[in-house]
Amino acid sequence: MDDEQPPTPDEHDPAHPVPPAGTARRVLLVAGVIISAEALALIALAVLEASAVVSERLGLGISTALFLGLFGVLLLVGVNRVLNGHAWARGLLVFSQLIQLLLSFNFRGDVWWIPTALAASAVVALGCLLSPPVTRALITDQGV
């Protein structure tokens, strides 16, 4: 017979995290909308790349389309998980925004609004993901 009691709602249970509420939830929703838009853009680019594959660059076209599509889906999963209180997903989203911020510098010679949009959305999303209310809501080592 098992004498172990199930965790009370006050105890931390990584398998069943508590979704953030209040200010943390609102701030995460802002980041979620931004990152979801980025993810949908990646999926759209994947579809465009797949439709433009020619026999001379079949491997590159398919691998690029798969990468963009899977990365877009991964971002959507990360947004969903962080909104449900899974702290690990924030690391994935922060990393993706740091990459985007660095990539925005590669587009400096192109149309002015492309690097501006990439950098601005990454900075806003990072600000939201790293804000104190979100950090407090996603702390996983309570009581340690």
Side-chain angles (χ1 to χ4, degrees), residues 24-60:
R25 178 84 176 169
R26 288 188 295 275
V27 172
L28 278 175
L29 283 173
V30 170
V33 166
I34 292 168
I35 296 170
S36 294
E38 295 167 1
L40 293 175
L42 286 170
I43 293 169
L45 286 172
V47 170
L48 290 173
E49 179 66 27
S51 67
V53 171
V54 293
S55 61
E56 291 83 32
R57 55 183 282 276
L58 185 64
L60 179 63

Short mmCIF file of all heavy atoms in Angstrom, two decimals, residues 24-60:
data_model
loop_
_atom_site.label_atom_id
_atom_site.label_comp_id
_atom_site.label_asym_id
_atom_site.label_seq_id
_atom_site.Cartn_x
_atom_site.Cartn_y
_atom_site.Cartn_z
N ALA A 24 1.34 38.72 -15.14
CA ALA A 24 2.22 37.78 -15.84
C ALA A 24 1.50 37.17 -17.04
O ALA A 24 2.07 37.05 -18.12
CB ALA A 24 2.69 36.68 -14.90
N ARG A 25 0.24 36.84 -16.88
CA ARG A 25 -0.54 36.25 -17.98
C ARG A 25 -0.68 37.26 -19.12
O ARG A 25 -0.52 36.92 -20.29
CB ARG A 25 -1.91 35.83 -17.47
CG ARG A 25 -2.82 35.25 -18.51
CD ARG A 25 -2.51 33.82 -18.69
NE ARG A 25 -3.43 33.22 -19.64
CZ ARG A 25 -3.25 32.04 -20.13
NH1 ARG A 25 -2.20 31.34 -19.77
NH2 ARG A 25 -4.09 31.52 -20.98
N ARG A 26 -1.01 38.51 -18.78
CA ARG A 26 -1.18 39.54 -19.81
C ARG A 26 0.12 39.81 -20.56
O ARG A 26 0.14 39.94 -21.78
CB ARG A 26 -1.74 40.83 -19.20
CG ARG A 26 -3.20 40.71 -18.78
CD ARG A 26 -3.78 42.04 -18.35
NE ARG A 26 -3.16 42.58 -17.16
CZ ARG A 26 -3.51 42.27 -15.91
NH1 ARG A 26 -4.48 41.40 -15.71
NH2 ARG A 26 -2.90 42.82 -14.89
N VAL A 27 1.22 39.87 -19.83
CA VAL A 27 2.52 40.11 -20.46
C VAL A 27 2.90 38.92 -21.35
O VAL A 27 3.41 39.10 -22.46
CB VAL A 27 3.60 40.38 -19.38
CG1 VAL A 27 4.98 40.43 -19.98
CG2 VAL A 27 3.29 41.68 -18.64
N LEU A 28 2.64 37.70 -20.87
CA LEU A 28 2.92 36.53 -21.68
C LEU A 28 2.04 36.46 -22.92
O LEU A 28 2.46 35.98 -23.97
CB LEU A 28 2.75 35.25 -20.86
CG LEU A 28 3.93 34.87 -19.99
CD1 LEU A 28 3.60 33.66 -19.12
CD2 LEU A 28 5.16 34.58 -20.83
N LEU A 29 0.81 36.97 -22.82
CA LEU A 29 -0.06 37.00 -23.99
C LEU A 29 0.48 37.94 -25.06
O LEU A 29 0.39 37.64 -26.26
CB LEU A 29 -1.49 37.39 -23.59
CG LEU A 29 -2.30 36.29 -22.92
CD1 LEU A 29 -3.63 36.84 -22.40
CD2 LEU A 29 -2.54 35.13 -23.88
N VAL A 30 1.06 39.07 -24.64
CA VAL A 30 1.68 39.99 -25.60
C VAL A 30 2.82 39.28 -26.32
O VAL A 30 2.91 39.30 -27.55
CB VAL A 30 2.16 41.28 -24.91
CG1 VAL A 30 3.01 42.12 -25.86
CG2 VAL A 30 0.98 42.09 -24.39
N ALA A 31 3.70 38.65 -25.54
CA ALA A 31 4.81 37.90 -26.15
C ALA A 31 4.28 36.77 -27.02
O ALA A 31 4.80 36.52 -28.11
CB ALA A 31 5.72 37.34 -25.06
N GLY A 32 3.23 36.11 -26.57
CA GLY A 32 2.65 35.01 -27.33
C GLY A 32 2.09 35.44 -28.67
O GLY A 32 2.26 34.73 -29.68
N VAL A 33 1.45 36.59 -28.71
CA VAL A 33 0.91 37.10 -29.98
C VAL A 33 2.06 37.41 -30.94
O VAL A 33 2.01 37.06 -32.13
CB VAL A 33 0.03 38.34 -29.73
CG1 VAL A 33 -0.27 39.08 -31.02
CG2 VAL A 33 -1.26 37.94 -29.03
N ILE A 34 3.10 38.07 -30.44
CA ILE A 34 4.25 38.42 -31.28
C ILE A 34 4.93 37.16 -31.82
O ILE A 34 5.18 37.04 -33.03
CB ILE A 34 5.25 39.29 -30.50
CG1 ILE A 34 4.64 40.65 -30.20
CG2 ILE A 34 6.57 39.43 -31.25
CD1 ILE A 34 5.42 41.47 -29.20
N ILE A 35 5.21 36.22 -30.94
CA ILE A 35 5.93 35.01 -31.35
C ILE A 35 5.04 34.13 -32.23
O ILE A 35 5.53 33.50 -33.17
CB ILE A 35 6.46 34.26 -30.12
CG1 ILE A 35 7.49 35.15 -29.40
CG2 ILE A 35 7.10 32.93 -30.52
CD1 ILE A 35 7.92 34.66 -28.05
N SER A 36 3.75 34.11 -31.99
CA SER A 36 2.84 33.36 -32.85
C SER A 36 2.83 33.94 -34.26
O SER A 36 2.79 33.20 -35.25
CB SER A 36 1.43 33.34 -32.27
OG SER A 36 1.41 32.61 -31.07
N ALA A 37 2.85 35.27 -34.36
CA ALA A 37 2.91 35.90 -35.68
C ALA A 37 4.21 35.53 -36.39
O ALA A 37 4.21 35.24 -37.60
CB ALA A 37 2.78 37.42 -35.54
N GLU A 38 5.31 35.51 -35.65
CA GLU A 38 6.59 35.10 -36.24
C GLU A 38 6.52 33.64 -36.70
O GLU A 38 7.00 33.30 -37.78
CB GLU A 38 7.71 35.25 -35.21
CG GLU A 38 7.98 36.66 -34.79
CD GLU A 38 8.87 36.78 -33.56
OE1 GLU A 38 9.32 35.73 -33.02
OE2 GLU A 38 9.12 37.92 -33.15
N ALA A 39 5.91 32.79 -35.88
CA ALA A 39 5.79 31.37 -36.22
C ALA A 39 4.94 31.17 -37.47
O ALA A 39 5.29 30.38 -38.35
CB ALA A 39 5.19 30.60 -35.04
N LEU A 40 3.84 31.90 -37.56
CA LEU A 40 2.99 31.78 -38.74
C LEU A 40 3.71 32.29 -39.98
O LEU A 40 3.54 31.74 -41.08
CB LEU A 40 1.67 32.52 -38.51
CG LEU A 40 0.77 31.90 -37.44
CD1 LEU A 40 -0.45 32.77 -37.20
CD2 LEU A 40 0.37 30.48 -37.81
N ALA A 41 4.53 33.32 -39.82
CA ALA A 41 5.33 33.81 -40.95
C ALA A 41 6.33 32.74 -41.39
O ALA A 41 6.54 32.54 -42.59
CB ALA A 41 6.04 35.10 -40.57
N LEU A 42 6.94 32.06 -40.44
CA LEU A 42 7.88 30.97 -40.78
C LEU A 42 7.17 29.83 -41.51
O LEU A 42 7.69 29.28 -42.48
CB LEU A 42 8.55 30.44 -39.52
CG LEU A 42 9.63 31.32 -38.90
CD1 LEU A 42 10.03 30.79 -37.53
CD2 LEU A 42 10.83 31.40 -39.81
N ILE A 43 5.98 29.50 -41.06
CA ILE A 43 5.22 28.44 -41.71
C ILE A 43 4.82 28.87 -43.13
O ILE A 43 4.90 28.07 -44.07
CB ILE A 43 3.99 28.04 -40.86
CG1 ILE A 43 4.48 27.38 -39.55
CG2 ILE A 43 3.04 27.14 -41.63
CD1 ILE A 43 3.41 27.18 -38.50
N ALA A 44 4.44 30.13 -43.29
CA ALA A 44 4.10 30.65 -44.62
C ALA A 44 5.34 30.62 -45.53
O ALA A 44 5.24 30.23 -46.71
CB ALA A 44 3.55 32.07 -44.52
N LEU A 45 6.50 31.00 -44.99
CA LEU A 45 7.73 30.92 -45.77
C LEU A 45 8.06 29.48 -46.14
O LEU A 45 8.57 29.21 -47.24
CB LEU A 45 8.89 31.54 -45.00
CG LEU A 45 8.90 33.06 -44.89
CD1 LEU A 45 9.99 33.52 -43.92
CD2 LEU A 45 9.10 33.68 -46.26
N ALA A 46 7.77 28.55 -45.26
CA ALA A 46 8.01 27.13 -45.55
C ALA A 46 7.14 26.67 -46.71
O ALA A 46 7.60 25.96 -47.60
CB ALA A 46 7.74 26.28 -44.31
N VAL A 47 5.89 27.09 -46.70
CA VAL A 47 4.97 26.72 -47.79
C VAL A 47 5.45 27.33 -49.10
O VAL A 47 5.48 26.67 -50.15
CB VAL A 47 3.53 27.15 -47.46
CG1 VAL A 47 2.61 27.01 -48.66
CG2 VAL A 47 3.01 26.34 -46.28
N LEU A 48 5.85 28.60 -49.05
CA LEU A 48 6.36 29.26 -50.26
C LEU A 48 7.63 28.58 -50.77
O LEU A 48 7.80 28.39 -51.98
CB LEU A 48 6.63 30.74 -49.99
CG LEU A 48 5.40 31.62 -49.79
CD1 LEU A 48 5.82 33.02 -49.35
CD2 LEU A 48 4.58 31.68 -51.07
N GLU A 49 8.51 28.22 -49.86
CA GLU A 49 9.74 27.54 -50.26
C GLU A 49 9.44 26.18 -50.87
O GLU A 49 10.01 25.80 -51.88
CB GLU A 49 10.67 27.39 -49.05
CG GLU A 49 11.97 26.68 -49.33
CD GLU A 49 12.91 27.45 -50.26
OE1 GLU A 49 12.83 28.69 -50.29
OE2 GLU A 49 13.71 26.79 -50.94
N ALA A 50 8.52 25.45 -50.26
CA ALA A 50 8.16 24.13 -50.78
C ALA A 50 7.53 24.23 -52.17
O ALA A 50 7.76 23.38 -53.03
CB ALA A 50 7.23 23.41 -49.82
N SER A 51 6.76 25.28 -52.38
CA SER A 51 6.11 25.43 -53.69
C SER A 51 7.09 25.90 -54.77
O SER A 51 6.80 25.79 -55.95
CB SER A 51 4.93 26.40 -53.59
OG SER A 51 5.39 27.70 -53.31
N ALA A 52 8.24 26.42 -54.35
CA ALA A 52 9.22 26.94 -55.31
C ALA A 52 10.38 25.97 -55.54
O ALA A 52 11.35 26.33 -56.19
CB ALA A 52 9.76 28.28 -54.82
N VAL A 53 10.28 24.76 -55.02
CA VAL A 53 11.36 23.79 -55.17
C VAL A 53 11.47 23.36 -56.64
O VAL A 53 10.47 23.06 -57.28
CB VAL A 53 11.11 22.55 -54.27
CG1 VAL A 53 12.09 21.44 -54.58
CG2 VAL A 53 11.20 22.94 -52.82
N VAL A 54 12.69 23.41 -57.13
CA VAL A 54 12.96 22.95 -58.50
C VAL A 54 13.94 21.78 -58.43
O VAL A 54 14.66 21.62 -57.44
CB VAL A 54 13.54 24.10 -59.38
CG1 VAL A 54 12.49 25.18 -59.61
CG2 VAL A 54 14.78 24.69 -58.76
N SER A 55 14.00 21.00 -59.48
CA SER A 55 14.81 19.78 -59.46
C SER A 55 16.30 20.06 -59.26
O SER A 55 17.00 19.23 -58.69
CB SER A 55 14.58 18.98 -60.74
OG SER A 55 14.97 19.74 -61.86
N GLU A 56 16.78 21.23 -59.67
CA GLU A 56 18.20 21.55 -59.52
C GLU A 56 18.59 21.73 -58.05
O GLU A 56 19.75 21.59 -57.69
CB GLU A 56 18.57 22.81 -60.29
CG GLU A 56 18.52 22.67 -61.80
CD GLU A 56 17.11 22.84 -62.35
OE1 GLU A 56 16.32 23.61 -61.77
OE2 GLU A 56 16.80 22.19 -63.35
N ARG A 57 17.65 22.11 -57.21
CA ARG A 57 17.96 22.33 -55.78
C ARG A 57 16.92 21.64 -54.90
O ARG A 57 16.42 22.21 -53.93
CB ARG A 57 18.05 23.82 -55.48
CG ARG A 57 16.85 24.65 -55.87
CD ARG A 57 17.04 26.13 -55.61
NE ARG A 57 16.88 26.54 -54.24
CZ ARG A 57 15.71 26.83 -53.66
NH1 ARG A 57 14.60 26.72 -54.31
NH2 ARG A 57 15.67 27.24 -52.42
N LEU A 58 16.60 20.43 -55.26
CA LEU A 58 15.57 19.67 -54.57
C LEU A 58 15.89 19.47 -53.08
O LEU A 58 15.07 19.76 -52.22
CB LEU A 58 15.38 18.31 -55.25
CG LEU A 58 14.26 17.42 -54.71
CD1 LEU A 58 12.92 18.10 -54.94
CD2 LEU A 58 14.31 16.07 -55.38
N GLY A 59 17.10 19.01 -52.78
CA GLY A 59 17.49 18.76 -51.38
C GLY A 59 17.47 20.02 -50.54
O GLY A 59 16.95 20.04 -49.42
N LEU A 60 18.05 21.08 -51.07
CA LEU A 60 18.09 22.35 -50.33
C LEU A 60 16.68 22.91 -50.12
O LEU A 60 16.34 23.37 -49.03
CB LEU A 60 18.95 23.37 -51.07
CG LEU A 60 19.06 24.74 -50.42
CD1 LEU A 60 19.75 24.63 -49.06
CD2 LEU A 60 19.82 25.69 -51.32
#
